[in-house]
Amino acid sequence: MNFTDTGTLITWQLDDIDIIEPLHNKEDGGSRGGVYLCIPNFEELTPPFSIKHGEYRTTVCDNKLPHQKNLSSPTEHNWGNVDVITDWEEVEEQHSKTLKVTTTIRAISDEAWIRPGFHPYFSITPNSFIDIGATRIDIAALPHDSLQKHAVASVSDEVKITTANYSAWVSCNIAPSSKNLSVVFGVWSDKKYEYVCIEPVIGHQPGPDGLPTPLTLQKDEELVMAFTIRAERVSFAG
């Protein structure tokens, strides 16, 4: 697996199929594609939760695994200080492949507020769709660059994406588990490119904006998250 110097996975293929849209620069700046984590992930919240994509994505790390980072909040956005350890592994079988990303977040400050997110960008084909519980989403019908929010009944529920080339299942496992934990899958597509982003966002029960509210970690308290993507070639997918 190849990563940028901030630990973003650049590409992920099954045989010759791009499951993950390769990381690329946008014409107007910024980037799209790849797979990365957002810690903290405070989009659309009031200060101090106003860092849209978090510090994790921009903090440099050693490319050897596991990636280790210390994330410190700036003075104007005092969400705390955490250590983060992230390991990536993949298992390849005939006509299928699994990517597992395990992340431990440990509070270093007396308190730390987190709402972590996982951001894989999937390559798509015409007539691709996503199944979240009983809801089927036609990717072609998604509005341009607009986040759609879909809560799931259980934090371990799988989400399935189906294209002409492959099917893939996205799931989360979180420890310690509690009845107040929730996962909301944010889904959005940029019509200038052939991809869709499926973002599990983790926190307490969703607030008025439809996204989970932040978790509070006390000093030395840990949250361990495992994100899994399992992909199969479409002619072999069950």
Side-chain angles (χ1 to χ4, degrees), residues 214-235:
L215 303 167
T216 302
L217 297 182
Q218 305 299 321
K219 188 173 183 179
D220 297 326
E221 188 177 2
E222 293 183 347
L223 182 73
V224 181
M225 308 171 295
F227 302 99
T228 302
I229 301 173
R230 177 172 57 89
E232 296 182 8
R233 293 191 70 125
V234 72
S235 55

Side-chain angles (χ1 to χ4, degrees), residues 179-200:
K179 64 181 180 181
N180 292 324
L181 278 177
S182 69
V183 174
V184 172
F185 282 85
V187 177
W188 65 276
S189 180
D190 184 339
K191 298 304 181 184
K192 296 178 181 178
Y193 295 96
E194 297 300 321
Y195 61 77
V196 64
C197 191
I198 304 175
E199 313 173 9

Side-chain angles (χ1 to χ4, degrees), residues 31-32 36 53 119 121 130 139 142-148 186-191 195-199:
S31 62
R32 290 287 187 265
Y36 60 89
H53 287 302
H119 288 235
Y121 289 78
I130 300 167
I139 296 174
L142 287 171
H144 171 72
D145 202 13
S146 178
L147 185 69
Q148 310 293 298
V187 177
W188 65 276
S189 180
D190 184 339
K191 298 304 181 184
Y195 61 77
V196 64
C197 191
I198 304 175
E199 313 173 9

Side-chain angles (χ1 to χ4, degrees), residues 10 20 58 73 77 89 96 156 158 162 171-172 187 191 201:
I10 294 171
I20 296 301
T58 59
S73 60
H77 303 302
E89 58 180 319
S96 70
S156 59
E158 286 189 324
T162 303
S171 61
C172 309
V187 177
K191 298 304 181 184
V201 181

Side-chain angles (χ1 to χ4, degrees), residues 4 48 50 56 71 75 94 113 123-124 155 165 181 199 230 233 235:
T4 66
S50 57
Y56 187 95
L71 308 181
T75 302
Q94 189 174 19
W113 295 270
S123 296
I124 58 173
V155 295
N165 296 327
L181 278 177
E199 313 173 9
R230 177 172 57 89
R233 293 191 70 125
S235 55

